[in-house]
């Protein structure tokens, strides 16, 4: 199972919006609405931001929103803030009854 | 609160074995699928294995199949990962997470470092 494809880096200025893409196949992202997004700060464990493509756990800011079209899922961060600078990973359930993570995206706040 | 705490990491020689543990608290452990996920130094996340709440459904990534064994003890609210025939490429921080297809992965433990080196 190959990793889902994410851009290596995305940047934006405070207050702007950025979007991170996550491209898979018809056997994972395209097949199930079980796409999750995680935020990881250096030296910390990942934190769940979005699950089931667009659902947010309680306590997660509504500045984070998820969507999906075909084999590509996306995470949009609105009103970018300094604390949003981190690594972001997508994940999907697969047709092999396993999970696959994305390659990861480093977000820089300019 | 909902919490996961891993233990058991350390330095091991290639070909050796190690058993990781993950202690859960703050939720009904037996109700949830649990996973092990690892992260090699400076690299991305890699899903390793999951086990259903009852322990009857288990899956592994191809990279560890036949070498690693996941298990759980619901009475002790604990998850385990027995790692055998360890290789240098197994060096990583290993996280346990409450992970299910329709509820995502939350929480995660703090991670435990496994280093495979001679």
């Amino acid at each position: 199972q190959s990793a889902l494809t994410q851009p290596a880096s995305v940047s934006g200025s405070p207050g702007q919006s950025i979007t991170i893409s996550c491209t898979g196949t018809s056997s994972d992202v395209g097949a199930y609405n079980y796409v999750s997004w995680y935020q990881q700060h250096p030296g910390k464990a990942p934190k769940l931001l979005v699950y089931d493509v667009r659902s947010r756990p309680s306590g997660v800011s509504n500045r984070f929103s998820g969507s999906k079209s075909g084999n590509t899922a996306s995470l949009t961060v609105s009103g970018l803030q300094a604390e949003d600078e981190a690594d972001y990973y997508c994940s999907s359930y697969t047709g092999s009854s396993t999970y696959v993570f994305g390659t990861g995206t480093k977000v820089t706040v300019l | 609160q909902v919490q996961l705490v891993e233990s058991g990491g350390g330095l091991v020689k290639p070909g050796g074995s190690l058993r990781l543990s993950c202690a859960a608290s703050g939720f009904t452990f037996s109700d949830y699928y649990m996973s092990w996920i690892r992260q090699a130094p400076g690299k991305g996340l890699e899903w390793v294995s999951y086990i259903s709440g009852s322990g009857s459904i288990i899956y592994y990534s191809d990279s560890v199949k036949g070498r690693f064994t996941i298990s759980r003890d619901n009475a002790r609210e604990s998850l385990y990962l027995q790692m055998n025939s360890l290789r240098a490429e197994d060096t990583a921080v290993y996280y346990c997470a409450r992970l299910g297809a329709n509820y995502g992965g939350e929480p995660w433990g703090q991670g435990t470092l496994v280093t495979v080196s001679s």
Side-chain angles (χ1 to χ4, degrees):
Chain A
Q1 181 75 49
S2 298
L4 308 175
T5 301
Q6 298 180 232
S9 62
V10 172
S11 62
S13 299
Q16 287 186 331
S17 292
I18 61 169
T19 296
I20 302 168
S21 61
C22 169
T23 302
T25 70
S26 57
S27 297
D28 40 62
V29 175
Y32 304 95
N33 287 325
Y34 295 141
V35 176
S36 298
W37 288 91
Y38 301 88
Q39 177 192 61
Q40 186 180 35
H41 286 106
K44 301 293 188 181
K47 172 190 173 184
L48 180 67
L49 297 176
V50 169
Y51 66 98
D52 291 358
V53 177
R54 62 181 74 250
S55 297
R56 272 188 312 273
S58 60
V60 172
S61 171
N62 59 9
R63 297 187 299 106
F64 297 95
S65 60
S67 62
K68 191 184 87 167
S69 178
N71 297 338
T72 299
S74 299
L75 175 73
T76 297
V77 185
S78 305
L80 200 61
Q81 299 178 1
E83 60 259 35
D84 298 333
E85 188 160 294
D87 293 326
Y88 291 78
Y89 295 91
C90 61
S91 175
S92 175
Y93 186 70
T94 81
S96 303
S97 300
T98 60
Y99 289 90
V100 61
F101 281 91
T103 50
T105 297
K106 182 176 181 59
V107 168
T108 300
V109 181
L110 302 171
Chain B
Q1 76 277 25
V2 178
Q3 190 175 5
L4 298 170
V5 178
E6 301 96 338
S7 60
L11 175 64
V12 61
K13 289 182 168 53
S17 298
L18 211 55
R19 188 195 196 208
L20 305 184
S21 300
C22 170
S25 60
F27 64 100
T28 305
F29 183 66
S30 59
D31 283 350
Y32 292 89
Y33 279 66
M34 298 293 296
S35 274
W36 287 99
I37 297 140
R38 68 185 180 182
Q39 187 170 35
K43 303 296 185 183
L45 300 171
E46 179 189 12
W47 173 80
V48 172
S49 178
Y50 73 70
I51 184 169
S52 63
S54 66
S56 60
I57 299 171
I58 289 174
Y59 280 90
Y60 299 97
S61 67
D62 289 343
S63 59
V64 307
K65 199 176 300 180
R67 301 186 299 122
F68 289 12
T69 302
I70 192 172
S71 62
R72 65 191 296 158
D73 183 335
N74 287 340
R76 295 180 184 273
E77 297 186 313
S78 292
L79 175 72
Y80 306 101
L81 186 68
Q82 177 67 43
M83 304 185 295
N84 298 331
S85 302
L86 282 161
R87 306 166 180 166
E89 54 265 36
D90 295 319
T91 294
V93 173
Y94 284 73
Y95 295 99
C96 65
R98 187 178 70 176
L99 174 63
N102 59 348
Y103 47 83
E106 180 192 49
W108 294 52
Q110 83 287 355
T112 187
L113 177 63
V114 172
T115 302
V116 184
S117 174
S118 54

